[in-house]
Amino acid sequence: MKSKPILAGLAVAVCFAAGLAAAEPVKLPVDNDDKGTVYVAPNVNPTETSAYTTGATVGVERRDGSGAYIGTDTSTPRPTYSLGASTGGNVSLTGGVSSDGKANNGVKAGVTIKY
């Protein structure tokens, strides 16, 4: 199958280009059906001649906007792990935690109102 290496190279190029242009992580869909989408969002770091990844986030997004994610960031000496979820609808509540298991711990929460 020659199309898989080409598709993988195209996905890395898209992640690289979108990472420079957008603040949101690029979410590559893995599976999609009527209930929602399973995605992978790699942490892509560009260099002058290539790009490399330092972890990724795997998540689920439902049609109503609700979802959940889990991820790893290995760009620091100690890997940081994160976990979070959000509700859907016109008023969406989000929450998440991250930790490296030692000194770097965090909690985040938010409200998104659609109008």
Side-chain angles (χ1 to χ4, degrees), residues 63-111:
R63 299 286 180 209
D64 66 354
S66 63
Y69 68 89
I70 186 167
T72 303
D73 182 1
T74 59
S75 64
T76 58
R78 292 185 57 87
T80 303
Y81 304 97
S82 60
L83 174 71
S86 64
T87 64
N90 290 334
V91 178
S92 177
L93 306 173
T94 61
V97 295
S98 64
S99 177
D100 69 354
K102 200 165 190 164
N104 184 12
N105 302 308
V107 176
K108 62 182 179 177
V111 177

